[in-house]
Amino acid sequence: MSTDKMESGDSPSTKKIEDKAQPRMRKVSCRNPAMPWFGMDIGGSLAKLVYFEPEDMNLEDENTEFEPEALYKIHHYLRYNTAYGSTGIRDTHLEVKNLTVFGHKGSMHFIRFPTTSMNLFLDMVKEKNLSSLADTIHATGGGAYKFENGFNEVVNMSLQKHDELGCLLRGIHFIDRMIPNECYYWKNTDAFNSEASEKVPYDFHNPYPYLVVNIGSGVSLLAVHSHSNFKRVGGSSLGGGTFLGLCCLLTGCQTFEEAIELASEGDATKVDKSVRDIYGTDYNRFGLPGSVVASSFCNMSIKEKRDAASKKDLARSTLLTITNNIGSIARMTALNEGIERIVFVGNFLRVNPISMKLLSYAMDFWSKGSLKALFLQHEGYFGAVGAFLELIGYDGDRNGNGEETSK
Ligand code: ADP
């Protein structure tokens, strides 16, 4: 994320989500820390950064002598670029406009970079002299512990660490409350004709109880009964990191985007053994259609099948294997907890409609319609939003009028 290679940016695109967000006046009351306002989630694969851009401080006006200069510089660097160095990306389609935080009207920006680029990020923070404006960054995720010394030593800043699952939930509740159509489900998810399915907004106003399945590098499952009553009820080491790691090994691909693209063109039936491959038909007694995967990757033990399977087929099967496993764990956990709504989040779902549709189909099919799979537009950013909320001291409670209250 070095500053020497920054690309000139375009203005943030205005997506559906923002258009719909415009009419609502969104006000957040809290304490007023020094700008700039950031929240960070440093995960096993990706570091996520949420930045609040105040639009009422003349940071846009070149002729304004804005003090301190470091704030002006940081603002311009983030605002007028969509790529930072060779690995940092601003997800412009997720930008939230028209948000009022502690009397400042502005936009929330969403930036990510690989956690392996943390040293470059620290160099950028040092170069922009962030420590002249603040001595602390509010951060969550395992990296808030791992990189604590780096922040101290390289940029002379400390990390205020916050629990990652608490931040995740605070972020989910905040974003869902602030943004219309944040929550959605997939309609018509036929696993074998997934083109026909479409996204449909879901009213998540009364969310409790629900299960969160956070699919990051690994998987965490939380049963949420209220904004303050939740517990971690399960997890799996077979998550998004497993998919990407296996895909890189099996296909030689280099990036998540490449892995998903390969998978979208592959045919997993060449790799997996289905019920039909074993029975020659459906397994009717227990209602198992012939097309259901009986054994993932089983065909790869046969030389001819191995020779016939392409990289695309291998990528597809890897994606379905990981997704089906997460789906099974989610379904059994929901059953165990007596919960019917399952919210899937995490960056594994980024640019990954195949997994979202498959999870939707699987929840519906195997529960005979009693479980509902839900998704959120800001997929992997909720932890960083939660850290941002810690910075501004937002507690998320509502007063009798349904408005946000201050701490
Ligand atoms: P974590 O906090 O563990 O890093 P995330 O929610 O950020 O978790 O999700 C990480 C996962 O997201 C990766 O394991 C991978 O499956 C997927 N992913 C999506 N986009 C990318 C990307 N650009 N680079 C790496 N992994 C990505």
Side-chain angles (χ1 to χ4, degrees), residues 43-46 48 112 216-217 240-241 244 256-257 346-348 350:
S45 301
L46 293 172
K48 283 76 65 178
R112 63 184 151 85
S217 310
L244 186 52
F256 181 77
E257 288 76 4
N347 276 319
F348 172 67
R350 250 197 79 238

Side-chain angles (χ1 to χ4, degrees), residues 232-261:
R232 187 176 188 276
V233 287
S236 170
S237 65
L238 305 184
T242 320
F243 161 66
L244 186 52
L246 287 177
C247 239
C248 289
L249 276 176
L250 291 171
T251 71
C253 72
Q254 306 280 339
T255 66
F256 181 77
E257 288 76 4
E258 219 184 308
I260 292 292
E261 202 175 318

Side-chain angles (χ1 to χ4, degrees), residues 209-241:
Y210 71 100
L211 190 75
V212 181
V213 180
N214 185 25
I215 318 175
S217 310
V219 184
S220 277
L221 295 95
L222 305 179
V224 188
H225 295 278
S226 77
H227 80 279
S228 58
N229 177 10
F230 61 90
K231 62 178 176 177
R232 187 176 188 276
V233 287
S236 170
S237 65
L238 305 184

Side-chain angles (χ1 to χ4, degrees), residues 296-344:
S296 301
F297 277 86
C298 184
N299 284 342
M300 295 302 87
S301 61
I302 303 160
K303 183 174 183 326
E304 301 77 61
K305 301 239 179 202
R306 205 159 51 234
D307 293 343
S310 69
K311 289 183 174 183
K312 292 175 180 174
D313 301 334
L314 291 168
R316 179 78 169 208
S317 178
T318 309
L319 187 62
L320 300 196
T321 299
I322 297 296
T323 306
N324 277 326
N325 189 57
I326 295 168
S328 294
I329 295 170
R331 189 173 65 83
M332 288 186 284
T333 309
L335 205 67
N336 211 25
E337 297 293 322
I339 290 175
E340 291 183 343
R341 286 180 296 185
I342 308 178
V343 178
F344 292 93

